[in-house]
Every structure is written in C-alpha cells, then in structure tokens.
Amino acid sequence: MIDVHCHLNFRGFENDYDEVINRAFAKGVTKIINTGTQISSSRDAVKLAEKYDNLYAIIGVHPHHADKPEENWLEEMKKLTLHPKVLGIGEIGLDYFSYKSNGIVDKELQKTLFEQQIMLAYRSKLPLQIHNRLAGEDVIQILLNHKSYLSNPPGMFHCFAGTKEVLKSALEMGFYIGFDGNVTYKGLAPGETVSLPELITYTPLERIVCETDSPYLTPLPFRGQRNEPQYVILVGETISSIKHIPFKQVQSQTTKNVYAIFNKIIQ
Ligand SMILES: [Zn+2]
Ligand SMILES: [Zn+2]
C-alpha cells in the first residue's frame, strides 16, 4: 500500500519519525508521500524525502494559511518544484469549515492562493493534491475555470468528502479520489450529507487512492491515538469490505493509481 498523504513533516513526529517510517515499511507500506501546508512544512517534507528512498514530498500552501503566507512564498515554491522528489502541488484548495482556532479564512484570499498554485502546477507540469472541506462547489468551479491548465491526469482530491455531484464532477475531470481512516467512523462528519461508504461505492476502484493524513484521522480501533502511515492498510481493508473485493486487488490497483497520478515517482 502507498500512503499518498500524510504529515510526518509536522512537529508531532519530530522525535520518532524514523521509527514511524520503519514501522510502516515493515507492515508492507511501500511508499509514503508527505504533504506541506505552508512553505516551512513543505521544505521539511522535501528534507524528509531526501533521507529515505521511498519517501516523497508534495508542496503547497493550505487554505488555512491563505491569510498569512510566508514572504516570497510563490518564489520559494517555484524553486522546490524542481526537486526530483517533489511529486505535486498540495495541499491546496478551499476550506469553509469554521474552526475553533481561526474560524474561516477570508474566502477570496483562499481562492486567490488556490488559483495561483494551480498556475504554478501548470508551469511546473505537476499534478494537484486538493484539500476541500465544505467547499466542493467552489473548488469544482475554480478547477473548471482553469481546465486548460490542468495536467492529464490532473491530480487527486485528498480526504474526499462532499456530495455525489461534486464527486461526479471531480471524476469527470479525471481526478483520483483519496480516502482516509475516517472511512472507519460511524455517521456523518459535521456539515456533510453523504456517508463515506456511499462515496466509496460510487467511486470506481480504478480512481481510488489510500492515505492516512497522519497525525490526524486515526482509523478504528486506534481512534484517539496519533495516526501513522502503517494504518493506511486499515483504510485499504475497509475499502475492500465496502466494495466486496479482495484486499490484494485494492492494494495492487490503488498502487497503480498512484503511479498514474504522479509521474515523478520511481516504481
Ligand atoms: Zn487536508
Ligand atoms: Zn493533510
């Protein structure tokens, strides 16, 4: 299994990322992709990727940070795109969930940064890794407006949630769909209207990728603890039981899908 989206570049893994990474590889995880959420964490993702053969990085400014991007952030990102282990631009997109810590970041700022990073991905010929929370319609609209600037395939939605209409539009544009440990939770997340098993059933296996978003979204039965890339296997097992197909098939097809999205990854 490949974990296409996690944050071992975050502080929570500072003291034991080596053990965490080796635990994942020992369990059968073959590759791990760390994603940045601002310039500093993007740089850290690249540094980590330089230390291990099977680690890669995705760089970007998350919509949470759209109101406080670091100085010369776009120039810095442009430099990082040239790195051989930088596979894509992410996590970028829109987030309309109201967080206790910072509410909702100004939507126009979020849109501007999203568009700037779509154009950077176009110029550097990299796919997108999209973050969307309760903003599916606007994310789709912006992507449609920039259709001629998207690569083929255009990338993936990470930690998908939303309506079937948004999912259908994403699939029609050629995007792959990432699912996480929250597929093991019961009920709906705040603001959502469609359950994750329903969305998984609707998405063809040929378009699914698995991820953990570690340290967040720890699957059952480990919910409450810090998440780790080794648990991407639990995501794969849950998809296998929802779709009634063998785990081995989920494993091999989702791996193929990762190679189809990220052409800089070494198989
Ligand atoms: Zn995200
Ligand atoms: Zn994330």
Side-chain angles (χ1 to χ4, degrees), residues 5 62 91 131 158 213:
H5 180 110
H62 188 287
E91 50 181 306
H131 170 98
H158 112 83
D213 209 4

Side-chain angles (χ1 to χ4, degrees), residues 5-7 10 35-37 62 91 129 131 158-159 180 211-217:
H5 180 110
C6 63
H7 303 287
F10 281 10
T35 299
T37 53
H62 188 287
E91 50 181 306
Q129 191 173 62
H131 170 98
H158 112 83
C159 193
D180 298 70
E211 49 174 289
T212 62
D213 209 4
S214 300
Y216 314 114
L217 300 177

Side-chain angles (χ1 to χ4, degrees), residues 98-246:
S98 183
Y99 292 86
K100 268 186 207 140
S101 51
N102 63 343
I104 304 173
V105 171
D106 182 90
K107 290 183 183 180
E108 290 312 310
L109 282 177
Q110 292 193 38
K111 287 179 186 170
T112 304
L113 251 80
F114 185 25
E115 290 173 340
Q116 284 172 301
Q117 293 181 94
I118 291 172
M119 294 312 292
L120 174 65
Y122 166 68
R123 287 191 295 267
S124 35
K125 297 189 171 62
L126 290 174
L128 307 174
Q129 191 173 62
I130 290 171
H131 170 98
N132 158 42
R133 191 160 183 193
L134 304 180
E137 283 75 17
D138 285 0
V139 167
I140 294 294
Q141 196 50 58
I142 287 176
L143 291 170
L144 285 171
N145 293 346
H146 292 77
K147 218 174 165 187
S148 54
Y149 300 110
L150 301 178
S151 53
N152 181 26
M156 57 168 288
F157 276 63
H158 112 83
C159 193
F160 192 88
T163 62
K164 276 191 192 159
E165 289 69 32
V166 168
L167 177 55
K168 187 168 175 274
S169 306
L171 289 168
E172 277 170 3
M173 273 189 274
F175 281 96
Y176 287 73
I177 308 295
F179 292 105
D180 298 70
N182 55 347
V183 299
T184 64
Y185 304 170
K186 301 273 169 285
L188 293 170
E192 300 298 346
T193 53
V194 188
S195 75
L196 290 171
E198 259 181 275
L199 296 170
I200 288 169
T201 304
Y202 188 87
T203 310
L205 183 63
E206 290 68 29
R207 290 294 195 81
I208 291 179
V209 287
C210 299
E211 49 174 289
T212 62
D213 209 4
S214 300
Y216 314 114
L217 300 177
T218 314
L220 294 171
F222 304 107
R223 198 175 182 181
Q225 300 171 30
R226 182 184 67 172
N227 201 4
E228 294 190 9
Q230 61 161 323
Y231 298 142
V232 73
I233 292 163
L234 298 175
V235 177
E237 284 171 353
T238 309
I239 290 169
S240 128
S241 78
I242 291 168
K243 282 192 164 302
H244 308 290
I245 46 178

